[in-house]
């Protein structure tokens, strides 16, 4: 009798093992199909990477000014400036990235291609919190120009904030 229960238990265990292995194989097959589909979509989706924006020489920045002096401000103030430019090249100008040299200098820019002869803007906000004295910051732009890196400069002087008057 014990042999009968033991054999039945072994057969049931093997059956369960076989079924569960089969479902893992099915799950693996489904996972492989999903991975394959995702890979195909990735191959078909073009991505713009800074390295992909090659300098072709056919798009060109012409800035009204490349240096902005915000003058004298008090520590803690934020100031902004719009750098205006024109595409004097023969193909659409595409900015792929604009980055400040530190977190206190934040650029925002035209994200659509700028057609030849058209204008665009790059707005830079400088936050003087925690800064004192003369400051010089850089904004680095990556675009499909020659050269593909353009630098703008933000500078000025920051005076210490006056302590609040005692009452």
């Amino acid at each position: 009798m014990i042999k009968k229960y033991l054999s039945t238990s072994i057969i049931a265990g093997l059956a369960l093992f076989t079924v569960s292995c089969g479902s893992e194989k099915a799950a693996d097959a489904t996972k492989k199909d999903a991975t394959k589909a995702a890979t195909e979509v990735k191959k078909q989706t073009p991505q713009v990477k800074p390295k992909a924006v090659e300098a072709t020489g056919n798009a060109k920045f012409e800035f009204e000014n490349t240096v902005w002096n915000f003058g004298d401000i008090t520590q803690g103030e934020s100031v902004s400036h719009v750098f205006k430019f024109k595409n004097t090249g023969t193909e659409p100008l595409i900015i792929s990235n604009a980055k400040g040299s530190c977190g206190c200098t934040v650029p925002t820019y035209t994200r659509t291609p700028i057609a030849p002869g058209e204008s665009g803007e790059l707005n830079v906000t400088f936050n003087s919190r925690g800064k004192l004295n003369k400051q010089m910051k850089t904004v680095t732009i990556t675009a499909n120009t020659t050269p593909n890196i353009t630098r703008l400069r933000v500078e000025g002087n920051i005076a210490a904030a006056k302590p609040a008057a005692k009452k």
Side-chain angles (χ1 to χ4, degrees):
M1 180 119 162
I2 293 177
K3 285 184 181 181
K4 185 177 178 183
Y5 287 121
L6 185 58
S7 1
T8 306
S9 297
I10 291 173
I11 291 172
L14 286 174
L16 182 61
F17 177 74
T18 305
V19 171
S20 67
C21 288
S23 64
E24 284 177 17
K25 288 179 183 175
D28 286 346
T30 304
K31 193 175 184 180
K32 286 179 184 176
D33 290 343
T35 303
K36 185 177 178 183
T39 303
E40 288 301 315
V41 168
K42 198 172 190 179
K43 285 180 185 176
Q44 295 171 5
T45 306
Q47 296 178 353
V48 177
K49 297 179 182 174
K51 194 169 185 172
V53 179
E54 298 290 331
T56 60
N58 296 326
K60 186 177 180 182
F61 278 119
E62 185 176 297
F63 280 91
E64 290 179 359
N65 60 345
T66 58
V67 178
W68 167 49
N69 187 320
F70 56 79
D72 294 325
I73 62 173
T74 303
Q75 185 179 38
E77 286 184 64
S78 287
V79 289
S80 295
H81 177 72
V82 176
F83 287 95
K84 295 182 180 186
F85 62 88
K86 185 174 185 177
N87 178 4
T88 58
T90 58
E91 72 177 36
L93 190 150
I94 301 167
I95 300 173
S96 63
N97 194 21
K99 186 176 180 180
S101 56
C102 75
C104 63
T105 308
V106 180
T108 56
Y109 57 94
T110 305
R111 297 192 182 263
T112 56
I114 294 102
E118 295 296 315
S119 297
E121 296 181 343
L122 189 132
N123 187 20
V124 177
T125 300
F126 174 76
N127 183 341
S128 67
R129 185 178 63 202
K131 307 287 185 212
L132 275 177
N133 303 319
K134 186 171 178 148
Q135 299 291 312
M136 290 180 61
K137 304 299 177 187
T138 304
V139 174
T140 303
I141 305 165
T142 305
N144 63 332
T145 56
T146 299
N148 66 339
I149 299 291
T150 302
R151 288 187 175 81
L152 305 174
R153 198 170 72 229
V154 175
E155 58 187 36
N157 191 52
I158 302 166
K162 294 179 183 177
K166 293 182 180 179
K167 291 183 181 184

